[in-house]
Amino acid sequence: MKKIYIKTWGCQMNEYDSSLISNILKKKLNYKRTNVSEQADILILNTCSIREKAQEKLFHQLGRWKTLKKNKKDLIIAVGGCVATQEKKKIYKRAPLVNIIFGPKTIHRLPKMIEELELKKKKICNVNAKKIKKYSYYKNNITQKISAYISIMEGCNKFCSYCIVPRTRGREINRTPQDILLEANFLAKNGTKEITLLGQNVNSYISKFSNGSICNFSQLIELISNIQDIKRIKFLTSNPMEFTDDLIKIYKNIPKLSNSLHLPVQSGSNKILKKMRRKYTISEYKEIIKKIRKYRPNIYITSDFIVGFPGETHEDFKKTLKLIKDIKFDMSFSFIYSPRPGTPAYRLHDEINLQEKKERLYLLQKKINKNTKFFSQKMIGTYQKVLVEKQIYVNKIKKLCGKTTNNRLVIFEGSKKLIGKCSYIKILQANMQTLQGKYVK
């Protein structure tokens, strides 16, 4: 049996795609996945282009694989993901050792690409497809996962001025609700208790049932909540532009929905949001959070922030810090603005020096970290419902870990039989993002 090694960069959708790659090659070519690159017959890089210097990261990794290629002449090296879609055959010019280039939409064609390569000994670049056929391979090579991802859509139609994703993953293509429910039920029957729905903008999801009736995102969540063995539902990532009232109301009607929401805002300044082509205002964003907290007063809100976007003044940045104070964000993914060639923002004049950007990022993260610590400390002495995920070693001692409904990791001692069950844990200690607890029942 031949072996594949997959290195994944980027978002949860890339992680999901990598699992599909493994499943497809298992079914079609009987490949087995390995965690040791030296053992592999094919090396696959599943790349992300969201940040600056993504290409350099790719070529540095390929440089590290040169020795493996020299020692194993038949070794196949394939590059996939968003950088592959963006750069295409340009990759060959700098890295002649690469044999195959594929995109997120052509994962299902990998077996044929490999067979063609072995037959004709010619490089292959295949990154475009009008239809997505990769999703039917979720059943193959299943390993039990307490928490699992389901990708419900591909691409994005928003075209935020800084974002390369619509150009690398294309326009939105939504899976049918029947297809998604088949995968959810399959996972549930194989031990999954928590499902995270994935998409570049999940709340824009809209598709049709076989009878022609419409299914939107809130309806999809409700249908998945009806699966008895699924105990918790999450979703990533949503956009304030389409966070509609029907989606807000599910926080009242569906207890299985996680008590943590990740809702990217990017900036606290309306001026900067307009430059970013984020079609909402700060008052509209606040109103969404206000409505959700009406149904879930204790919900934890996390977000994304871009610091140092072209034109961001000190006053604009102060507005972002004020928003953090007003909303009381629990955590964040925050970055210095990264110019991406091919995006409208790439052409904007950037007057902010790097040191100033770094200082702003430091201040923002310091403020968020203070919130994180506060909320964690506040949980000490409380009893939390924890979905137990796995057994881990802490200082050579076997312990269990799982997540609370507000997405905090809890570590505690207990029987392995608790894995996959919701247990009540008393919180005894709190670090920034990790809690220590005691099993109660």
Side-chain angles (χ1 to χ4, degrees), residues 143-164:
T143 54
Q144 190 180 54
K145 297 177 182 177
I146 302 302
S147 181
Y149 296 129
I150 297 180
S151 183
I152 66 171
M153 63 192 300
E154 183 88 17
C156 182
N157 293 345
K158 292 297 172 284
F159 289 91
C160 298
S161 67
Y162 54 83
C163 187
I164 197 69

Side-chain angles (χ1 to χ4, degrees), residues 12 26 35-36 66 78 111 137 165 179 198 226 229 234 274 282 302 309 313 334 337 358 393 410:
Q12 290 87 348
K26 166 71 175 175
N35 292 322
V36 183
K66 273 186 178 179
Y137 292 93
V165 168
D179 190 24
L198 299 178
N226 291 331
D229 289 333
K234 300 177 181 177
K274 190 174 182 180
I282 292 304
T302 63
F309 190 82
T313 63
S334 47
Y337 166 68
K358 287 181 177 179
Y393 280 93
V410 181

Side-chain angles (χ1 to χ4, degrees), residues 14 45-48 79-86 102-104 127 168-169:
N14 266 18
L45 262 176
N46 194 6
T47 63
C48 172
V79 175
C82 292
V83 174
T85 306
Q86 185 180 347
F102 65 97
V127 298
T168 55
R169 284 193 177 257

Side-chain angles (χ1 to χ4, degrees), residues 168-210:
T168 55
R169 284 193 177 257
R171 295 294 188 100
E172 289 176 1
I173 300 175
N174 299 296
R175 295 175 70 184
T176 65
Q178 293 98 321
D179 190 24
I180 295 166
L181 289 169
L182 280 172
E183 184 169 356
N185 277 290
F186 176 80
L187 289 168
K189 287 176 183 177
N190 284 276
T192 295
K193 303 298 179 184
E194 177 185 84
I195 284 176
T196 302
L197 303 173
L198 299 178
Q200 263 72 41
N201 180 22
V202 287
N203 49 337
S204 71
Y205 173 86
I206 189 161
S207 188
K208 290 182 179 180
F209 292 100
S210 54

Side-chain angles (χ1 to χ4, degrees), residues 295-321:
Y295 302 123
R296 298 279 188 95
N298 298 318
I299 193 168
Y300 281 36
I301 307 295
T302 63
S303 195
D304 292 347
F305 293 93
I306 295 174
V307 172
F309 190 82
E312 182 188 73
T313 63
H314 287 285
E315 288 304 312
D316 293 319
F317 179 65
K318 284 180 182 178
K319 289 176 181 177
T320 298
L321 295 182

Side-chain angles (χ1 to χ4, degrees), residues 6-98:
I6 307 173
K7 190 172 186 66
T8 309
W9 290 323
C11 66
Q12 290 87 348
M13 290 192 73
N14 266 18
E15 290 180 34
Y16 180 85
D17 281 351
S18 289
S19 69
L20 289 181
I21 291 169
S22 178
N23 293 349
I24 290 166
L25 294 182
K26 166 71 175 175
K27 182 179 182 181
K28 295 290 186 178
L29 299 179
N30 199 30
Y31 273 79
K32 181 182 178 182
R33 192 164 178 176
T34 177
N35 292 322
V36 183
S37 59
E38 289 80 5
Q39 294 178 356
D41 298 282
I42 177 168
L43 301 172
I44 297 176
L45 262 176
N46 194 6
T47 63
C48 172
S49 62
I50 202 75
R51 308 297 306 151
E52 189 179 10
K53 299 181 181 177
Q55 292 93 329
E56 295 309 310
K57 188 176 180 182
L58 161 67
F59 293 117
H60 287 160
Q61 182 59 52
L62 291 174
R64 288 190 284 270
W65 282 352
K66 273 186 178 179
T67 305
L68 296 179
K69 186 83 168 179
K70 285 180 182 177
N71 295 336
K72 201 173 192 178
K73 291 183 179 180
D74 293 332
L75 178 67
I76 295 170
I77 295 181
V79 175
C82 292
V83 174
T85 306
Q86 185 180 347
E87 297 299 306
K88 301 181 180 69
K89 290 183 180 180
K90 292 179 186 176
I91 293 170
Y92 292 139
K93 292 180 180 179
R94 285 188 59 183
L97 72 163
V98 174

